[in-house]
Amino acid sequence: MSVDKDTVRRIARLARLALDESQIAAMESELNAMLAWVEQLQEVDCAGVEPMTSVVAQRLRMRDDIVNDGGYPDDLMKNAPLSEEHFFVVPKVVE
């Protein structure tokens, strides 16, 4: 696939970019170089390659999901300007 000047103008308009004629020519060559690189990547045989998130195999460290500070709703609500049944009461903002 190749990009021409009309396509560059359309892309620039869609991206809300103001490009003059000298910039359009430069952008045309840059976009064509990017597309050539993508076409080159499509030639790589990646059948049988496992998807990965990093070049180094990593395992996430897991921790126990333990409540370590809580169970004090009365103490928590002491500083609330308005509360009801251990919930904060806020003014209605959406009608």
Side-chain angles (χ1 to χ4, degrees), residues 77 80-89:
M77 301 312 286
L82 293 173
S83 64
E84 184 176 309
E85 297 180 15
H86 302 296
F87 291 101
F88 291 99
V89 177

Side-chain angles (χ1 to χ4, degrees), residues 25-65:
M27 188 64 68
E28 179 184 3
S29 64
E30 287 183 31
L31 289 173
N32 281 324
M34 286 184 228
L35 290 174
W37 185 74
V38 170
E39 287 175 2
Q40 183 181 3
L41 283 177
Q42 290 177 347
E43 295 173 4
V44 175
D45 180 26
C46 57
V49 177
E50 291 291 322
M52 57 185 183
T53 59
S54 174
V55 294
V56 178
Q58 298 176 345
R59 290 187 52 109
L60 294 176
R61 287 185 235 137
M62 302 297 279
R63 62 175 173 81
D64 294 332
D65 190 13

